[in-house]
Amino acid sequence: MSRSYKKTPVCKDEATRFTKRLASKAVRRYKDTLSNGKHYRKVFCSWIICDYRFYEPLQKAIHDWEKSPYEWAKKMTKKDLINSWSKAHYRK
């Protein structure tokens, strides 16, 4: 198995899988006939599926963690922070 990583640390919206499921349900339950081609795109708006992503480098995440006033951030160790950042932004 190859070990590939993302080229840029980008995190997408968490609800992507759920909205894709909603889109496929809407297309399957559509009562009118769908012509051949890309007519299915008019049934469900494609911007709802994945319209939010943000770029956050590791150094910025560490800086925000150090300056955070929240209690949950203080319970996290630096190793835990790096692991959670890698899981959300770096690994595929």
Side-chain angles (χ1 to χ4, degrees):
M1 178 185 271
S2 67
R3 295 181 181 178
S4 59
Y5 295 100
K6 293 179 185 177
K7 302 270 191 269
T8 56
V10 173
C11 185
K12 293 183 182 179
D13 188 15
E14 291 293 323
T16 304
R17 182 177 292 165
F18 177 70
T19 53
K20 285 182 180 181
R21 189 170 157 222
L22 283 179
S24 65
K25 280 184 177 183
V27 171
R28 277 188 268 122
R29 293 177 181 169
Y30 188 65
K31 297 294 181 190
D32 293 337
T33 59
L34 292 172
S35 63
N36 291 338
K38 299 177 182 178
H39 184 72
Y40 69 92
R41 292 181 180 180
K42 296 183 191 251
V43 176
F44 196 84
C45 181
S46 64
W47 286 99
I48 297 173
I49 293 176
C50 182
D51 62 345
Y52 182 71
R53 65 173 57 194
F54 61 93
Y55 171 80
E56 183 182 28
L58 179 60
Q59 296 303 322
K60 183 181 181 309
I62 292 172
H63 180 266
D64 292 344
W65 170 72
E66 290 171 345
K67 303 292 182 185
S68 178
Y70 300 113
E71 190 66 33
W72 61 268
K74 294 177 184 175
K75 292 179 182 177
M76 232 179 184
T77 63
K78 190 172 184 176
K79 185 177 180 181
D80 292 338
L81 172 80
I82 292 170
N83 189 28
S84 66
W85 179 88
S86 297
K87 184 177 179 182
H89 293 83
Y90 188 58
R91 299 181 200 141
K92 282 189 177 179

